[in-house]
């Protein structure tokens, strides 16, 4: 059974700092990995998706990397801003096909960026 | 930008009652999902739906739950005889045929008293 773990559980940084969030998964046979942002009491906003054949994806100040063989992904946030404060979730999809698209989520990292 | 919508945003019901949570997925998406998040816990997969049938379900999705796509736009989750432990945020998600990215709605907070 796939297990996804995120470290740290919470992180507080001053504005402008670069930071890294970590995600690990126990079964390396994944199809893709998706990073989400969740604001308090709100839904999930997709940030980046990395296919298993890719090593990294970038969107603006965000860069996600994937090391499938070691079961790890990182989300790098450059020049953090107070508006980046949220919970960041990673989720893995096991395989291609309609029956293999369920996402397994980590517990999230709660990020606070202080002005 | 197209988005997934869900109604109601908050539903309060008494134990034993039936509830229907509604979702309007992104137009032209083909794959639909329900997830839930109990307060303080991980987001958990419930069910996926494609081509008018369930394609996968988790062990949580027992006979108490059912899903339906009654028309071309709505996707519903019915919970029969609700229990206290069904209290959670329920998220609907959808995915296009050529895209691998799942897009989530804002959620319905279900409170069972």
């Amino acid at each position: 059974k796939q297990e996804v773990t995120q470290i740290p559980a919470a992180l507080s940084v001053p504005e402008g700092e670069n930071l890294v969030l970590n995600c690990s998964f126990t079964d390396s046979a994944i199809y893709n990995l998706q990073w989400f942002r969740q604001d308090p009491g709100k839904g999930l906003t997709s940030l980046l998706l990395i296919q298993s054949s890719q090593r990294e994806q970038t969107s603006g100040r965000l860069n996600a990397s994937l090391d499938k063989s070691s079961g790890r992904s990182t989300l790098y946030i450059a020049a953090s801003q107070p508006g980046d404060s949220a919970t960041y979730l990673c989720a893995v999809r096991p395989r291609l096909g309609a029956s293999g698209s369920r996402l397994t989520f980590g517990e999230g990292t709660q990020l606070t960026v202080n002005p | 930008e197209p988005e997934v919508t869900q109604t109601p945003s908050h539903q309060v019901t008494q134990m034993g009652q039936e509830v229907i949570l509604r979702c309007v997925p992104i137009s032209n998406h083909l794959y639909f999902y329900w997830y839930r998040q109990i307060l303080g816990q991980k987001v958990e997969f419930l069910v996926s739906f494609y081509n008018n049938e369930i394609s996968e379900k988790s062990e949580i999705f027992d006979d108490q739950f059912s899903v339906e796509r009654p028309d071309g736009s709505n996707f519903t989750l019915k919970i029969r005889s609700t229990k206290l432990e069904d209290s959670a945020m329920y998220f609907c998600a959808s995915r296009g045929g050529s895209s691998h990215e799942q897009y989530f709605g804002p959620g319905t907070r279900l409170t069972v008293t």
Side-chain angles (χ1 to χ4, degrees), chain B residues 8-14 18-21 65 77 79 82-90 107-113:
Chain B
S9 57
H10 191 192
Q11 173 95 43
V12 181
T13 190
Q14 289 191 326
E18 174 181 289
V19 295
I20 297 177
L21 310 183
F65 295 89
L77 174 69
I79 309 175
T82 50
K83 307 170 191 171
L84 294 176
E85 54 264 38
D86 294 328
S87 295
M89 183 75 95
Y90 287 80
T108 292
R109 180 168 298 284
L110 176 65
T111 302
V112 183
T113 62

Side-chain angles (χ1 to χ4, degrees), chain A residues 2-112:
Chain A
Q2 180 72 272
E3 295 286 344
V4 180
T5 304
Q6 292 186 245
I7 295 173
L11 183 62
S12 182
V13 300
E15 182 176 3
E17 193 160 299
N18 302 325
L19 57 100
V20 175
L21 307 180
N22 297 289
C23 172
S24 61
F25 43 96
T26 54
D27 186 347
S28 62
I30 65 168
Y31 183 67
N32 63 38
L33 182 147
Q34 202 167 346
W35 280 94
F36 294 88
R37 168 188 173 134
Q38 184 175 30
D39 292 282
K42 300 290 180 62
L44 281 65
T45 301
S46 180
L47 298 174
L48 289 164
L49 181 144
I50 312 180
Q51 292 297 117
S52 60
S53 57
Q54 297 175 318
R55 297 285 292 183
E56 64 178 70
Q57 279 284 352
T58 299
S59 176
R61 293 182 294 108
L62 305 179
N63 176 277
S65 68
L66 175 64
D67 185 344
K68 186 182 160 186
S69 60
S70 68
R72 294 182 184 184
S73 176
T74 62
L75 180 66
Y76 174 82
I77 302 177
S80 58
Q81 303 170 357
D84 294 331
S85 298
T87 296
Y88 291 80
L89 304 173
C90 71
V92 298
R93 174 181 168 181
R95 57 189 176 274
L96 183 63
S99 65
S101 57
R102 67 190 292 173
L103 294 179
T104 300
F105 282 82
E107 57 275 83
T109 293
Q110 186 174 357
L111 174 66
T112 303

